[in-house]
């Protein structure tokens, strides 16, 4: 693949990505949200948090040192952040940073 083809592919991917992000705002600007979208808006963040917890714990062997302490610490920290701040984005972002610090430095 030549450099020109790479640039064209990147430009096409950028435009498609931009269109997929703009489409909901344009499509739902004048209409009320459908019930299915309201359901997703309400329950999707909690679903994502649950998936992240299971993904974090899926390969942990709790019978070997460090017994999953770092992962459990990251989950508890993230849960405490969410209970105090009530913001999914901040909880996920800071919880990830906390977990990465535990993995890298301890």
């Amino acid at each position: 693949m030549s450099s020109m083809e790479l640039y064209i592919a990147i430009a096409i991917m950028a435009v498609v990505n931009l269109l997929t992000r703009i489409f909901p705002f344009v499509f739902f600007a004048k209409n009320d949200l459908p019930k299915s979208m309201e359901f997703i808006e309400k329950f999707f963040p909690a679903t994502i948090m649950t998936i992240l917890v299971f993904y974090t714990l899926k390969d942990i062997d709790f019978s070997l040192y460090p017994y999953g302490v770092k992962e459990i610490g990251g989950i508890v920290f993230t849960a405490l952040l969410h209970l105090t701040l009530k913001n999914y984005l901040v909880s996920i972002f800071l919880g990830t940073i906390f977990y990465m610090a535990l993995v890298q430095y301890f």
Side-chain angles (χ1 to χ4, degrees), residues 28-46:
F28 294 116
K30 295 180 182 177
N31 302 330
D32 290 333
L33 284 178
K35 294 291 181 193
S36 60
M37 294 299 286
E38 290 178 1
F39 178 82
I40 290 172
E41 179 185 24
K42 184 174 181 181
F43 294 107
F44 201 67

Side-chain angles (χ1 to χ4, degrees), residues 3-73:
S3 296
M4 189 59 162
E5 291 171 334
L6 282 174
Y7 292 132
I8 291 172
I10 290 171
I12 290 171
M13 287 186 280
V15 169
V16 169
N17 193 5
L18 181 66
L19 290 176
T20 59
R21 307 230 176 202
I22 291 174
F23 176 74
F25 294 103
V26 173
F27 186 74
F28 294 116
K30 295 180 182 177
N31 302 330
D32 290 333
L33 284 178
K35 294 291 181 193
S36 60
M37 294 299 286
E38 290 178 1
F39 178 82
I40 290 172
E41 179 185 24
K42 184 174 181 181
F43 294 107
F44 201 67
T47 304
I48 293 296
M49 293 282 283
T50 305
I51 290 170
L52 289 173
V53 167
F54 281 109
Y55 183 77
T56 300
L57 297 176
K58 72 177 177 64
D59 294 328
I60 303 301
D61 187 357
F62 292 101
S63 64
L64 298 175
Y65 180 81
Y67 310 108
V69 170
K70 296 173 186 175
E71 290 77 11
I72 298 296

